[in-house]
Amino acid sequence: MKFHQKISFFVVLLLFSVLIFSFQVSADGGDSAGVGVVNVPPNYADINIYSVNDQIRVKLILSDYNSWMDIQKVQVNLEDNGVVLHSFVFKQYSNPETFEKLNTFAEISNSSLLLEEACYVEHSSNSKSVADRCQLEVRFVFKTTYFSGLHVFSSDRAGDTTETFIEYKASDMNRGENTLLIPWIDGAIKAELPPFLLDISIFLIALVATIVIGKKTPFTHQLQQVFYESK
């Protein structure tokens, strides 16, 4: 009986040691693990959009509880009423199967707006806190352009994707009074109208409308009668 009790005690002690060791491994994480949970898609800890001189900077802090190393790519679309005007992408890996770091920024649309030399990706070199192990900071920098919304897509190595949409009302100042955006297959065509064309068009429309409406009013008819009777 005592021998069986010793065996049972040894088995329990062994299982307890394995559990403690597993917990420490998942907590430490190293360079290839976060907090040791089942795969979850990335989420957005913070999004900041601001303008500097003739540049717009989009700072994204992504969080992935499987580690920041689990994030495969981030795509940013500049949109206006659902129409994609421009599109940029950051890739930490060229594909989900490889572990070879790529860390490149590229422009999907052919507008030459992305300033690749100003873009950057950053993460903590420590693994003490959850933020250190899970957060990845990605910054897109591009030339000032018009857009009314920012659509962000992020995917991890398992193929799970998350997205968010942010309105950007400050971009109204970037749209000139004589700028016309025409929706097209690859985004939108930006047309610059001649100065004062809009004001002249409004004046002519108002003048024509006044003449047409004026001819149909009783007051104008009475004036015409008085004018012809005076003759």
Side-chain angles (χ1 to χ4, degrees):
M1 186 69 179
K2 291 183 179 181
F3 176 77
H4 290 293
Q5 289 178 347
K6 289 181 179 179
I7 293 296
S8 300
F9 176 79
F10 177 78
V11 172
V12 172
L13 182 61
L14 181 61
L15 291 175
F16 182 77
S17 300
V18 170
L19 289 174
I20 292 295
F21 178 77
S22 300
F23 175 78
Q24 288 177 346
V25 169
S26 61
D28 290 339
D31 291 335
S32 59
V35 292
V37 296
V38 177
N39 186 72
V40 291
N43 61 77
Y44 306 97
D46 186 40
I47 298 177
N48 191 8
I49 309 171
Y50 54 97
S51 179
V52 178
N53 298 327
D54 293 330
Q55 300 177 356
I56 297 178
R57 302 183 179 185
V58 179
K59 179 182 176 182
L60 307 171
I61 298 181
L62 294 96
S63 181
D64 191 313
Y65 288 103
N66 299 105
S67 164
W68 55 265
M69 294 186 67
D70 195 48
I71 299 172
Q72 197 257 320
K73 68 177 182 178
V74 182
Q75 180 171 328
V76 173
N77 291 345
L78 308 184
E79 300 182 0
D80 182 38
N81 295 323
V83 178
V84 178
L85 306 178
H86 312 285
S87 187
F88 317 117
V89 64
F90 160 76
K91 289 185 178 181
Q92 186 167 208
Y93 311 97
S94 58
N95 59 73
E97 286 74 29
T98 181
F99 283 92
E100 184 178 352
K101 290 290 184 65
L102 194 62
N103 286 345
T104 58
F105 292 83
E107 186 164 356
I108 301 176
S109 55
N110 298 321
S111 56
S112 301
L113 289 175
L114 187 66
L115 303 173
E116 296 182 26
E117 67 279 1
C119 301
Y120 78 87
V121 57
E122 190 175 35
H123 58 80
S124 175
S125 58
N126 298 319
S127 58
K128 296 179 180 179
S129 66
V130 174
D132 290 336
R133 297 190 297 270
C134 299
Q135 290 188 353
L136 183 70
E137 181 178 332
V138 181
R139 186 179 73 176
F140 291 86
V141 183
F142 49 90
K143 299 176 185 176
T144 299
T145 185
Y146 171 76
F147 62 98
S148 60
L150 196 77
H151 208 161
V152 185
F153 302 85
S154 303
S155 59
D156 61 15
R157 300 176 61 86
D160 291 334
T161 302
T162 185
E163 63 180 289
T164 186
F165 184 84
I166 307 99
E167 291 185 357
Y168 186 62
K169 297 186 179 298
S171 63
D172 291 340
M173 297 182 296
N174 300 324
R175 187 173 186 174
E177 295 180 355
N178 301 309
T179 301
L180 180 65
L181 293 176
I182 305 173
W184 196 246
I185 298 174
D186 296 328
I189 300 175
K190 184 177 181 181
E192 296 288 343
L193 303 179
F196 309 113
L197 178 62
L198 182 60
D199 294 336
I200 294 174
S201 301
I202 294 175
F203 174 76
L204 292 176
I205 293 173
L207 181 61
V208 172
T210 302
I211 294 174
V212 172
I213 295 174
K215 287 183 177 181
K216 297 181 180 180
T217 59
F219 178 73
T220 304
H221 182 66
Q222 291 177 2
L223 286 179
Q224 290 176 349
Q225 286 182 342
V226 172
F227 176 75
Y228 285 109
E229 290 177 358
S230 63
K231 288 185 175 181

